[in-house]
Amino acid sequence: MVMGPHPQPAPNATVVSSIDSDSGGDEYVIADISTDDAWLSMEATAAPALTAWR
């Protein structure tokens, strides 16, 4: 994957993540729902393990 420069998120950004299941398998999705078209996804099995929020 190649990534270019990206701006810092806005102070009011709302970033969420979820597992989206469909006939093709599970996808892990991360999205900034306060901005149009600001999301990415990957196969759920390829997603990094995240520690629980405390």
Side-chain angles (χ1 to χ4, degrees):
M1 173 191 329
V2 176
M3 296 176 55
H6 55 280
Q8 292 295 319
N12 59 344
T14 303
V15 178
V16 298
S17 66
S18 70
I19 300 291
D20 182 21
S21 299
D22 65 13
S23 61
D26 292 340
E27 293 283 318
Y28 178 63
V29 181
I30 301 173
D32 178 352
I33 60 172
S34 61
T35 303
D36 289 339
D37 296 324
W39 62 273
L40 61 89
S41 68
M42 66 182 72
E43 290 183 19
T45 56
L50 304 175
T51 57
W53 290 96
R54 295 176 191 229

